[in-house]
Amino acid sequence: MTDLLPITYDNIDALAASAFAKSRLVATALGEDVLHNLEPLARGEAEHLLDRIARRRIFDEETLAEIDGLSDRIVGLIQAGTTEVVHYANDECNVSPAHWTSQRRTRAADELGRALMVLFDLQETLLAVHDLMHAERAIEVLRAAS
């Protein structure tokens, strides 16, 4: 899904810088593909995340929680905008299965799907940075105890 750098201590600075770049992509996706597809009262999470991105506060635990909540909401809207269509082939010469399914999405579901991929990419990068930082703290505690 993404081109995430290897999760090593040597790459933590590059991962953090990448997270800031990805956050700008998320801001664009939220503005272009998400906000107009949400009900006015349901835009709070997306607007709050946009505010955190604008203030460069993306490494807080609250940001990860907001991404989780917003991505769950978006997934639900994508599912609501997706219809499964069953096709039948009753031709006696048909050698393939007699029926198959395909999915059709509304325009809103397509737009939300694009934004969801970018949101997941940012989440993956933020989690990698968090994991490395927690690992560094744990190692410091172990060294201090020795």
Side-chain angles (χ1 to χ4, degrees):
M1 178 172 96
T2 63
D3 295 327
L4 189 64
L5 293 168
I7 301 174
T8 64
Y9 296 113
D10 296 334
N11 290 335
I12 193 165
D13 294 336
L15 284 169
S18 174
F20 281 117
K22 290 176 182 184
S23 73
R24 287 190 300 276
L25 290 174
V26 166
T28 301
L30 291 176
E32 294 295 320
D33 291 332
V34 175
L35 287 177
H36 69 275
N37 285 311
L38 297 176
E39 296 293 325
L41 294 176
R43 293 180 184 157
E45 279 179 318
E47 290 170 345
H48 195 252
L49 183 57
L50 279 170
D51 181 57
R52 294 186 72 73
I53 290 169
R55 290 184 295 124
R56 315 284 279 173
R57 305 288 302 166
I58 63 172
F59 291 105
D60 298 344
E61 292 289 334
E62 187 178 325
T63 302
L64 286 172
E66 287 175 0
I67 290 173
D68 277 339
L70 184 58
S71 62
D72 287 345
R73 179 181 301 276
I74 289 173
V75 166
L77 291 171
I78 291 170
Q79 288 173 339
T82 302
T83 305
E84 190 167 289
V85 179
V86 180
H87 304 273
Y88 293 96
N90 292 327
D91 184 8
E92 61 189 42
C93 298
N94 184 22
V95 293
S96 61
H99 68 305
W100 65 95
T101 60
S102 65
Q103 292 184 340
R104 293 189 183 156
R105 290 186 182 84
T106 62
R107 183 173 156 243
D110 278 339
E111 290 174 350
L112 292 169
R114 285 193 306 262
L116 186 63
M117 297 306 291
V118 177
L119 199 59
F120 282 156
D121 192 20
L122 174 61
Q123 182 182 37
E124 179 184 32
T125 304
L126 291 175
L127 287 171
V129 171
H130 277 266
D131 289 345
L132 287 171
M133 294 303 292
H134 289 295
E136 281 184 358
R137 283 189 217 114
I139 290 170
E140 289 171 8
V141 169
L142 286 173
R143 287 185 179 142
S146 298

